[in-house]
Amino acid sequence: MRPIIGITSYVVPATWGVWHDLPTALIPNDYVAAVEQAGGRAVIIPPDDRDPDVLRVLDGLLLAGGPDVEPARYGAAPEPLTESRPERDAGEFLLVQRALATDLPILGVCRGMQVLAVAAGGSLHQHLPDVLGHERHRPAPGVYGEQEARFQPGSMIAKLMGDDVAIHCYHHQGVAEAGTLTVTGYTEDGLAEAIEDQDRRFVLGVQWHPEVIRDHRLFGALVEAAG
Ligand SMILES: NCCCC(=O)O
C-alpha cells in the first residue's frame, strides 16, 4: 500500500459556475499531484480541524502554503501588512505538535515552513521588504520570484537537492529564528530557505514552492520517509 500523506487544506470563498463566494475547502492540486507522482496516497485534511487524531491514519504530513501565522504565536504584535487566519493556525499547530511528538515525517512548504519554525519556538519577519529592502521573494501579485538557494553541505536538503538549486518563491514573510530547528539553506540575501530537525526521522521546511515547477524530489523524500 502506498504511504498515506495528509495535506492541510483551508477555507476560501470560491466562485465557479453560478456560485459566488461559496466557502470552499481548498488545496491547490499541485500538492496532490506532487504527492501522487512521488508514489504517495494524498489525503486532504479538513480545514481548521482541531482533532489531531486524524494523524493516526496518516504516514506523513504535508503542510501547504497559505496566509500569515498569527504573530501572537511568536510573541509579536501584528504589523500593518500581516494577514493571519487564527482558525487555520489553531488546527495546524495542533497537528504539528502531535506529529512531532509521534515522529511522523513532515514536509512544510512556504507557510508550512513558517508554521514549523514557530512551532519549534522560532519567529518570523512579518514583511520582508522592510527587512531586506527588496521584493524579490514576491515580485508582484501572482508572479513568482526566481532565485538560487544554497544548502549546508551534509544537510538533509543538500543530500536531496545538491549544493544549490534554482527556486520559485512567493512570500512576503520569512523565518527570522528557527527555534530548535536548524537552518540549512539560504538565498543570497541571507534569508532562510530550508530548515530541518536533524534529530528526527524527517522534518523539513522549505520556503519556496517545489510543487509549482513539478520538482518532486522533496515529495519523494517525504513519501519514502513515510513508507
Ligand atoms: N506568511 C504566509 C506565507 C506566505 C508569505 O509569507 O507571504
Side-chain angles (χ1 to χ4, degrees), residues 63-66 92 107-117 195 205-206:
L63 301 169
E92 286 188 12
L107 174 62
V109 173
C110 193
R111 166 190 158 90
M113 165 170 159
Q114 296 172 7
V115 168
L116 279 175
I195 56 175
V206 296

Side-chain angles (χ1 to χ4, degrees), residues 122-194:
S123 63
L124 304 180
H125 296 301
Q126 291 194 44
H127 191 56
L128 289 176
D130 295 342
V131 179
L132 301 176
H134 66 76
E135 300 191 358
R136 292 201 289 273
H137 294 269
R138 190 179 69 178
V143 177
Y144 282 86
E146 295 180 24
Q147 301 198 63
E148 184 163 313
R150 288 192 172 276
F151 306 124
Q152 185 184 90
S155 62
M156 175 164 52
I157 189 76
K159 287 176 187 156
L160 293 169
M161 306 295 289
D163 291 344
D164 54 58
V165 69
I167 57 169
H168 280 55
C169 50
Y170 191 78
H171 58 104
H172 82 116
Q173 297 195 328
V175 170
E177 299 166 300
T180 57
L181 304 182
T182 303
V183 179
T184 51
Y186 296 91
T187 35
E188 64 181 0
D189 54 14
L191 187 71
E193 286 292 336

Side-chain angles (χ1 to χ4, degrees), residues 5 7 12 19 22 28 31 46 62 71 84-85 92 106 128 146 158 197 201 226:
I5 307 297
I7 309 175
V12 287
W19 309 108
L22 190 67
Y31 292 109
L62 172 54
S84 56
R85 198 169 165 280
E92 286 188 12
I106 309 173
L128 289 176
E146 295 180 24
D197 187 332
R201 229 173 359 141

